[in-house]
Amino acid sequence: MTAAAEGGTRETREAKGLGGGQVGLLGAVVIGVSTIAPAYTLTGALGPTASAVGDHLPAIFIVGFVPMLLVALGYRALNSAMPDAGTTFTWGSRAFGPWIGWMGGWGLLAATILVLSNLAGIAVDFFYLMLSQLTGNDGIADLAANVPVNVATCLVFMALACWVSYRGLEATKVVQYVLVGFQFLILGWFAVAAFSRVAGGSAPAGLNIDPGWFNPLGVESFSAFAAGISLSVFIYWGWDVVLTMNEETQGERTTPGRAALSTIAVIVVLYLTIALAVLSFSGTGDGELGMGNADIQENIFAALAGPVMGPFAVLMSLCVLASSAASLQSTFISPARTMLAMGHYGALPPQYARVSRRFQSPGHATVVAAVVASAFYAVMRVVSVNVLSDTITALGMMVCFYYGVTALACVWYFRGSWGGNAKAFLTTFLAPLVGGLLLLVFFVQTAVDSMDPSYGSGSEIGGVGLVFILGVGVLGLGLVVMAVQYARRPGFFRGESITVGRSTTDA
């Protein structure tokens, strides 16, 4: 790393006012896992992915893990050279210049803030489902469909999550230890129970684990393979939150990178365990409990919890509720710290750089993220559920965009600095290059596919799919906001606060 970069990162942490050394490796991994929301993600992803690739579900989960691992290596290298809470924004600006860095930061902000609204909505659904199961009153579950009740409950959840996040990483860490621990307990219980029923002969499918399930070449067509990959990449999203905490982490140059790789490793093992359990228990047919049954694909655990866990099925609803609530809270970390960095460097108004003196957290940015996500959910829930769901579907494009930008920023920043070091060549060039290009290919492919009106909810405008219009529209809005910021704060865009540079020593 250059001496300038090293000195710059020391100055930025002190200037931003974030509290250093609040989170260690274990705490960072727990928060990373929380943000991914494994229970919530699995209940919605297992069915659609299995319907696309059949019993090759484990293979697709492994293949989807590969680009995440490659990109994570690039994140680790960048963090080691210049740990900064702005991550994609800061690193993209230092490697490619302020314009690309700003848009990379916008992609992260759009994806994370909009997904907050989805997580709050999911928490509402499972909250009333859990209450109905506990009371035996099916009518309580229908309250989630009552728009005023739904929106009001969502706003309460959002306010509670914002309150915890505002209090800083110490409060966040305590909450996440409880919620993530509970998720692992219930998911482990579910997997053991499912395998036990398979062994006992009481499972609907009762399949033995087949080595062929792990062969991605067995997927019947490339289109099915691509569809499965698109789904599996999205289910790993969220691990990068551990990098946005780098200035508040013990060992800011090394711990965040290790936490990112550890988080992805923990998640892939958990996903494979649950996938094998469900596949063995249910199979991929379209029977009552088969993963090919379209009626249960949106919430696979709701259908399987009873047959697998018996009278304790309500714990699975509580588990998914805990998962979405935990992710709702921890997801605030990334947009708040990205906006903090953008305010600090002059890419956004200076109030975004405000830090709570008491909690040493980005208080203003945290509240802004909550207000924007709450307003978006309330308006979209009233106007059109289809627009809300299609916006969430479009998030995949934004995720691939900002991950891809960050990975390629690593390649460009470290260009020519390997000095014959094979490990540095792998971790700062080859791995992030392949991972970044793969994600940008997924971005383009998703954009093309989403132009089809049948993509997502099936809504369209002028024969063009609503998912495409919303995805491109959000990125286009970023260009407009960036132009406004350029007119008001040209200093950042002239390179006055972040200097474009490159590493001059071995990575």
Side-chain angles (χ1 to χ4, degrees):
M1 102 193 83
T2 63
E6 184 176 340
T9 52
R10 291 198 190 104
E11 293 170 3
T12 53
R13 190 179 80 174
E14 293 176 7
K16 291 191 188 104
L18 295 171
Q22 297 185 66
V23 179
L25 178 60
L26 177 60
V29 171
V30 168
I31 292 174
V33 169
S34 164
T35 305
I36 295 173
Y40 155 63
T41 299
L42 284 169
T43 196
L46 282 171
T49 308
S51 68
V53 301
D55 55 13
H56 297 283
L57 181 64
I60 292 300
F61 278 180
I62 294 174
V63 173
F65 155 78
V66 172
M68 293 296 102
L69 175 63
L70 299 178
V71 170
L73 289 172
Y75 268 77
R76 184 180 68 170
L78 286 168
N79 182 79
S80 178
M82 39 184 173
D84 190 285
T87 59
T88 296
F89 159 73
T90 306
W91 299 335
S93 298
R94 204 174 289 278
F96 296 129
W99 300 94
I100 294 179
W102 201 100
M103 281 305 298
W106 175 264
L108 185 153
L109 290 176
T112 51
I113 290 178
L114 292 182
V115 84
L116 284 172
S117 62
N118 182 57
L119 289 166
I122 292 297
V124 171
D125 292 342
F126 278 93
F127 174 69
Y128 287 111
L129 174 61
M130 180 195 67
L131 291 182
S132 71
Q133 291 175 325
L134 288 174
T135 61
N137 183 351
D138 294 338
I140 294 180
D142 296 334
L143 288 174
N146 183 304
V147 175
V149 172
N150 184 293
V151 172
T153 309
C154 176
L155 295 182
V156 170
F157 283 164
M158 192 75 75
L160 289 172
C162 178
W163 178 73
V164 175
S165 297
Y166 189 95
R167 297 176 67 85
L169 289 186
E170 289 290 349
T172 294
K173 184 170 59 175
V174 171
V175 170
Q176 296 305 332
Y177 276 139
V178 175
L179 295 179
V180 171
F182 179 73
Q183 282 183 75
F184 272 75
L185 175 64
I186 301 304
L187 289 174
W189 183 346
F190 177 88
V192 171
F195 283 127
S196 296
R197 293 190 181 277
V198 171
S202 59
L207 303 176
N208 293 321
I209 295 176
D210 186 341
W213 295 352
F214 296 88
N215 179 17
L217 299 179
V219 179
E220 62 183 20
S221 69
F222 179 76
S223 60
F225 180 82
I229 288 296
S230 297
L231 287 165
S232 66
V233 166
F234 188 73
I235 66 177
Y236 289 105
W237 175 46
W239 55 266
D240 54 305
V241 68
V242 303
L243 280 303
T244 64
M245 301 185 300
N246 50 23
E247 297 184 30
E248 302 156 275
T249 303
Q250 299 167 12
E252 62 178 12
R253 293 187 184 276
T254 56
T255 301
R258 292 168 56 201
L261 297 177
S262 299
T263 298
I264 297 173
V266 168
I267 287 296
V268 74
V269 171
L270 177 63
Y271 281 178
L272 287 175
T273 301
I274 300 300
L276 290 172
V278 174
L279 192 55
S280 298
F281 180 85
S282 297
T284 58
D286 57 4
E288 180 182 0
L289 298 178
M291 284 192 286
N293 182 350
D295 294 334
I296 69 171
Q297 285 182 353
E298 290 187 1
N299 187 357
I300 203 83
F301 286 152
L304 299 184
V308 172
M309 302 177 69
F312 299 100
V314 67
L315 291 177
M316 183 55 78
S317 294
L318 183 58
C319 178
V320 178
L321 170 61
S323 180
S324 55
S327 184
L328 171 64
Q329 192 274 309
S330 59
T331 298
F332 270 103
I333 294 171
S334 287
R337 281 148 185 81
T338 298
M339 285 190 282
L340 170 71
M342 295 178 80
H344 175 78
Y345 289 114
L348 285 178
Q351 55 263 40
Y352 285 89
R354 293 176 186 167
V355 171
S356 166
R357 292 184 179 180
R358 178 182 177 186
F359 301 112
Q360 296 181 301
S361 68
H364 180 82
T366 299
V367 173
V368 168
V371 170
V372 173
S374 298
F376 174 79
Y377 182 85
V379 172
M380 290 299 101
R381 190 67 178 78
V382 172
V383 172
S384 172
V385 175
N386 285 346
V387 175
L388 176 62
S389 64
D390 282 345
T391 304
I392 301 304
T393 302
L395 291 181
M397 285 191 283
M398 301 172 211
V399 173
C400 289
F401 172 72
Y402 87 79
Y403 272 177
V405 166
T406 311
L408 295 182
C410 176
V411 174
W412 193 244
Y413 179 75
F414 288 104
R415 65 190 185 278
S417 66
W418 313 298
N421 186 327
K423 180 181 178 182
F425 177 80
L426 173 65
T427 58
T428 65
F429 176 76
L430 187 59
L433 176 65
V434 174
L437 290 178
L438 283 174
L439 288 174
L440 291 181
V441 167
F442 294 153
F443 167 77
V444 173
Q445 185 63 51
T446 302
V448 172
D449 292 344
S450 65
M451 294 180 71
D452 188 334
S454 64
Y455 197 91
S457 69
S459 301
E460 63 177 88
I461 298 177
V464 179
L466 185 59
V467 173
F468 175 82
I469 293 172
L470 291 170
V472 172
V474 169
L475 292 176
L477 177 61
L479 292 173
V480 173
V481 176
M482 181 171 64
V484 171
Q485 295 305 314
Y486 171 69
R488 294 180 176 178
R489 297 169 185 83
F492 166 76
F493 295 94
R494 293 171 182 163
E496 295 176 5
S497 56
I498 298 181
T499 304
V500 178
R502 58 185 288 185
S503 175
T504 57
T505 60
D506 291 352

